[in-house]
Amino acid sequence: MNTASWISRQVTRLLPIVQPNRWASKGGGNARAGMDSDPASRDHAQVERSTRDRLAANLRHKAEAMSPRMLRRTLEELRDTIDPRISEVEGGRRAQVLIQSYTRATIERRRDMWLLMSEMFTADPEKIKTAQAKFAAAVGTPDEAAAEVQYRRATVSPRRRLLQRFSVLPEGIRFLVDVRAEMQPWLKQDKRLQALDVEMEYMFSTWFDVGFLELRRISWDSPASLVEKLIKYEAVHDIRSWDDVKNRLDSDRRCYGFFHPRLPDEPLIFVEVALIEHMAESITPLLDEKAAAADLDKATWAIFYSISNTQNGLRGVSFGDSLIKRVVETLSSEFPRLKHFSTLSPIPGLRKWLGQNAQRLLAITPEKDRIELGRAAGFEPPTAAHLLRALEHVATLDARSPLRRWLLQCAAQYLGHELIEGKPVDPVARFHLGNGARVERLNWLGDPSAKGLQQSYGLMVNYLYDLKRLDRNRAQLAEGGIAVAGAIEELQFRVQ
C-alpha cells in the first residue's frame, strides 16, 4: 500500500459512523441512517453529476456523499476484490473488509457504492459487439456452438463476479439480500441502479432456486425466535397477540415456510392453512382465538388464508407456486380425507380500481339496473360519485340491495375480466391465477376489518386449486382468458 492509499484509508476511519440495519443490530429492518425521509419522496431538483464525472473530479459537490478521492478509492477496493491475480481466500478477505466498511456507512455513501457497482462493472461493449458478430456469422455452421459460448461469456459482467465474491462468505447471502432491499426505494428515481438490481435478481433466482429450498412446518413448538418472525412478517392479516399466533398454529392449522440453507432461521415465504369441513367464506371465524379446533377427522377442505413473502431483497424471485404445490402434497399425505384446496384471499386493488372505473362500469350497466341503483343511492339518474359515496356504508346494505349486487358485479368484472399486458390487474389474483387456480366465489363482508373495508369494501374471494385443471387454467390465462366458476361468470357485465 502506498502512502496516499494509507492516508486515505486512515482518514475514512475518522468519518461519521452510522449503524445500519441487521449488520449493526439484530433488530432488523431497513437502514434509515443519514436519511431525512423516504428517498422516493425527497427533493432531487439539483442535477447530479454522473459517477464518471465525479471520479474524474477533484472536489466534492455539497450534495455528494463521497468525495472524488473516496469514490476512486472505493472503486479501487471493489476492483481489487475480484483481481484475477489473487487467491479466493484473499478475495474473500477483501470482500469481508468491504462489508465492514459498508455497515459503517450512511445510506448516501452506500448509494455511491451501489452506483459504482452498477456503472463501473459492466461488460465490455466492444467485446460483446465482436462476439455477437462472430456468432451471427457462425449460425448454421459447425462453429455455431463455440461462437455462442464466446458470445455468452462476453456478455457476463465483472459485476457478477463481484456478487459471487460476496456470496461465498458465511454472511454474504444475507448481506446481499439486505443490500438489494435497501436499494428498492431508490430504483424509480435513479435508473442508473437498475443494472445492479437486475443482476442481483438474476443471481438470486439461481441461488434461491426451489431445488435448494427446504419446506418446514412452523408450529407452536418451533423456536420462539422463529415464531416471532411469523409475527413480524405476516403481511395479510396482522397478528395481534400471542393468543392470536397460537390459534394460527393450533391442531387444526398448518403453517409452512421455505428455508434456504444459508438463511436457516429465516423463512423466505410462509403460508397459513386452515383445515375445515367447507370452503371458508369469512376470515373472522378463522382468526377467532376462542373458537374450538376443528375435527380433523371431518376436514375435507384446506384453506390457504395467508401467504407472506418476508424478504424485500428477493423481490421478483418466485417461490409461491412451488410452495403451494409442496404444501398440497404434504397435506394430502398427512390427511388423505382432504379433497379440496382453496384460498380465502383479499382483493387489495379493488377499491382503487373501482374508484377509477366506476363511470365506465355504470355506463355498461343495464338501464333497468341503473334506475334501481339511483333509487338505492338517493339520486336519479345516479353518477359514479353517487354510487361510490353510497358504498361507503357497505356494511349496512341488505342482501337484496341493488348496490350490493352492483358491487359484486364490479368485483367479478375486476377479477374475471380485467387484464394488463395479459395478466390480471389484481396482484393476488395474478399470483393465484398464474398458478392455475380458478376464481371460485365472492364473499360479502368476508373481511369486515378496517383494512378489509378500505381495500375491497370487505369483499374476499376464494381461488380454487383443482389439481386436475391447473395446467388447463394456466393455458387459458396465457391465451388471454381467466378461469372463473359459473357463479362469477353470471355476475360479470354483459356489454350490450
Side-chain angles (χ1 to χ4, degrees), residues 414-419 423-440 461-465 470 472-478 481-484:
Y414 174 65
L415 295 174
H417 183 76
E418 299 293 314
L419 297 170
K423 296 181 179 180
V425 176
D426 188 81
V428 176
R430 194 179 310 137
F431 172 79
H432 289 297
L433 297 175
N435 289 343
R438 179 177 75 193
V439 185
E440 189 68 13
V461 59
N462 301 114
Y463 296 102
L464 181 68
Y465 278 83
L470 297 182
R472 188 185 307 178
N473 293 342
R474 272 194 293 263
Q476 181 178 341
L477 183 62
I482 296 177
V484 300

Side-chain angles (χ1 to χ4, degrees), residues 301-320:
W301 284 80
I303 307 297
F304 301 89
Y305 64 93
S306 179
I307 301 176
S308 299
N309 287 291
T310 70
Q311 306 299 311
N312 197 33
L314 294 177
R315 183 181 300 238
V317 181
S318 178
F319 308 114

Side-chain angles (χ1 to χ4, degrees), residues 329-348:
E329 293 172 358
T330 301
L331 290 173
S332 297
S333 176
E334 185 178 358
F335 303 102
R337 290 178 59 88
L338 288 177
K339 301 300 180 183
H340 310 288
F341 301 89
S342 160
T343 77
L344 180 63
S345 300
I347 317 175

Side-chain angles (χ1 to χ4, degrees), residues 14-272:
L14 303 178
L15 296 173
I17 294 177
V18 180
Q19 299 294 354
N21 53 359
R22 72 179 69 246
W23 299 102
S25 168
K26 297 297 184 181
N30 289 338
R32 308 293 294 174
M35 297 179 65
D36 297 325
S37 61
D38 186 345
S41 63
R42 299 175 68 185
D43 181 10
H44 288 270
Q46 181 177 348
V47 178
E48 295 185 67
R49 291 192 293 182
S50 71
T51 305
R52 287 179 173 81
D53 286 343
R54 291 174 60 193
L55 285 167
N58 292 317
L59 298 176
R60 176 177 61 185
H61 284 180
K62 183 177 181 180
E64 294 171 351
M66 287 189 187
S67 67
R69 178 180 295 178
M70 186 186 300
L71 203 64
R72 288 192 291 269
R73 182 180 62 80
T74 303
L75 176 59
E76 180 183 350
E77 290 176 343
L78 287 167
R79 285 174 171 165
D80 287 347
T81 301
I82 56 172
D83 188 329
R85 296 169 299 181
I86 65 172
S87 67
E88 292 290 324
V89 173
E90 176 60 17
R93 188 196 66 78
R94 294 181 183 186
Q96 182 70 64
V97 171
L98 278 169
I99 289 179
Q100 293 171 356
S101 298
Y102 184 93
T103 64
R104 295 194 296 265
T106 63
I107 191 69
E108 287 83 4
R109 290 180 182 174
R110 295 182 187 188
R111 176 172 173 253
D112 279 344
M113 189 171 176
W114 306 335
L115 289 170
L116 289 172
M117 296 171 67
S118 192
E119 295 187 280
M120 307 309 296
F121 289 82
T122 60
D124 188 325
E126 289 302 320
K127 289 184 179 179
I128 293 176
K129 185 177 179 179
T130 300
Q132 186 177 31
K134 289 182 178 179
F135 175 48
V139 172
T141 74
D143 297 327
E144 179 179 348
E148 180 185 356
V149 170
Q150 293 302 315
Y151 173 59
R152 289 180 178 274
R153 287 177 177 171
T155 61
V156 175
S157 70
R159 188 188 309 111
R160 186 173 303 180
R161 178 59 178 154
L162 186 60
L163 296 175
Q164 290 171 332
R165 185 70 84 188
F166 284 119
S167 72
V168 299
L169 298 173
E171 75 277 32
I173 294 289
R174 174 77 275 171
F175 169 72
L176 292 174
V177 170
D178 284 348
V179 166
R180 186 165 183 252
E182 285 185 313
M183 284 174 49
Q184 296 306 302
W186 298 82
L187 291 174
K188 288 185 179 180
Q189 70 180 30
D190 196 339
K191 297 186 182 301
R192 295 175 296 174
L193 295 171
Q194 289 183 356
L196 176 58
D197 181 67
V198 171
E199 190 92 70
M200 295 181 88
E201 181 182 337
Y202 170 78
M203 299 298 284
F204 290 165
S205 66
T206 301
W207 297 339
F208 289 89
D209 183 272
V210 293
F212 301 128
L213 304 183
E214 176 190 0
L215 181 70
R216 257 195 264 164
R217 181 183 171 189
I218 304 172
S219 71
W220 187 247
D221 295 325
S222 298
S225 59
L226 184 53
V227 177
E228 288 174 354
K229 287 185 172 68
L230 186 69
I231 299 172
K232 173 183 176 181
Y233 291 125
E234 167 61 53
V236 183
H237 303 291
D238 293 341
I239 296 177
R240 302 177 298 270
S241 64
W242 281 101
D243 287 338
D244 186 359
V245 72
K246 187 174 183 180
N247 173 59
R248 301 187 194 206
L249 301 176
D250 208 344
S251 60
D252 61 338
R253 305 298 178 87
R254 291 295 183 271
C255 180
Y256 296 95
F258 265 152
F259 293 79
H260 190 276
R262 295 291 292 276
L263 302 172
D265 301 319
E266 193 85 9
L268 307 178
I269 184 174
F270 61 85
V271 59
E272 297 169 57

